[in-house]
Amino acid sequence: MKRKIHYVIILLVSLSCTSDDKKDYKADMVGRSSQKVTAGKKIDLFNITFKENLKDLGLDYNKENQSAQTLTGYGTFVSSSPDILIFNHQSLTGAVDENQNQVVLHYSLNKQVISAFEIQLYTSDALQKVDSILIHTLGQPGFTNTSSKHPGLAIDKNGNMMDGPRTEITYQLWTNKKTGISYHLLQYRRSEKLLFAELTAFNDRSNDANDWASFKNYGQVQKIY
């Protein structure tokens, strides 16, 4: 139990380091990129099977301008292009102040095959689209939980106990039983206002599925909640 509380405190402290509602919580971890999508080429992220490479998707791979690597042997392709921010035919483009919705494609450096992607969202309308699409196509999430169920475990940036979590975190998991692809949706809110949301997808049947789950810390998220 003490170990469980320890993980909760680490998670909530990391999210409580600023009082600025406009803080870019996640996107700065991978940076922003000017990498381009081939003109006229539309990419629907919902249809990615994780067998495609960058060339198959019509993406302009530029090794010199490659974004920061994530897992060993993987690079990232980051874009806010309306030609790639598509999820089951729905556009996810949008911005809140300087923060733009964007996608981060993680690919193997040797063959440039897509291994996972993250859709990073700041706008409520785009988040509602994603949530609605997943429920409509895959049903209710197989796992849902929120940090508000554990209000007594939250602390502020100074290490003081709080009555409730400063930032409420909701985690939902959908799994497509036919394809093996899992969709992990994390939402960060304060006073019911969306700060940031991130949808991560990868194939649970792939050799690197456990690596992605560990990299994203989903095992601990599920244990905490």
Side-chain angles (χ1 to χ4, degrees):
M1 180 63 181
K2 289 182 178 179
R3 186 177 182 184
K4 193 172 184 179
I5 292 174
H6 175 69
Y7 281 120
V8 174
I9 290 174
I10 290 175
L11 179 59
L12 294 175
V13 167
S14 68
L15 294 171
S16 302
C17 293
T18 178
S19 61
D20 185 1
D21 285 353
K22 298 177 182 179
K23 172 69 177 175
D24 187 342
Y25 281 91
K26 294 287 184 178
D28 57 354
M29 293 177 63
V30 295
R32 301 187 184 281
S33 172
S34 59
Q35 293 162 305
K36 303 297 183 182
V37 179
T38 302
K41 180 79 172 183
K42 300 289 184 180
I43 301 170
D44 193 324
L45 297 170
F46 189 72
N47 294 331
I48 287 182
T49 64
F50 302 105
K51 297 178 181 179
E52 305 87 348
N53 59 34
L54 295 183
K55 185 176 180 181
D56 293 335
L57 297 177
L59 301 179
D60 181 19
Y61 171 75
N62 188 329
K63 188 174 182 179
E64 293 182 357
N65 294 329
Q66 178 187 311
S67 301
Q69 292 186 31
T70 49
L71 293 177
T72 301
Y74 292 86
T76 57
F77 183 102
V78 188
S79 180
S80 294
S81 169
D83 291 329
I84 193 173
L85 270 178
I86 302 171
F87 196 67
N88 200 27
H89 311 294
Q90 297 292 313
S91 172
L92 301 181
T93 57
V96 174
D97 297 326
E98 73 278 10
N99 295 316
Q100 283 188 306
N101 297 341
Q102 63 178 14
V103 62
V104 182
L105 299 176
H106 300 266
Y107 59 90
S108 60
L109 293 178
N110 54 350
K111 296 183 179 180
Q112 297 154 29
V113 175
I114 306 302
S115 179
F117 69 73
E118 299 161 318
I119 305 176
Q120 301 174 340
L121 303 171
Y122 295 93
T123 60
S124 296
D125 62 329
L127 172 60
Q128 290 172 358
K129 288 178 183 178
V130 167
D131 188 65
S132 177
I133 289 168
L134 290 173
I135 290 175
H136 179 73
T137 57
L138 299 177
Q140 294 298 321
F143 183 90
T144 299
N145 222 318
T146 174
S147 59
S148 63
K149 292 184 178 180
H150 309 279
L153 299 181
I155 61 175
D156 64 18
K157 64 180 180 180
N158 298 316
N160 300 315
M161 297 299 294
M162 298 166 55
D163 292 334
R166 186 173 186 179
T167 299
E168 181 178 317
I169 311 165
T170 299
Y171 171 77
Q172 296 170 288
L173 168 64
W174 287 264
T175 302
N176 187 324
K177 295 180 180 179
K178 292 183 179 179
T179 65
I181 296 174
S182 60
Y183 299 88
H184 306 255
L185 180 61
L186 276 168
Q187 301 177 45
Y188 301 79
R189 297 179 183 272
R190 185 175 302 152
S191 300
E192 299 184 358
K193 177 184 177 182
L194 176 67
L195 299 177
F196 175 78
E198 181 177 77
L199 177 70
T200 301
F202 51 85
N203 195 320
D204 288 343
R205 300 170 186 169
S206 66
N207 294 330
D208 49 11
N210 289 335
D211 291 335
W212 286 117
S214 176
F215 176 73
K216 299 298 295 185
N217 210 30
Y218 289 139
Q220 290 302 335
V221 170
Q222 292 185 30
K223 290 178 182 178
I224 289 170
Y225 298 157

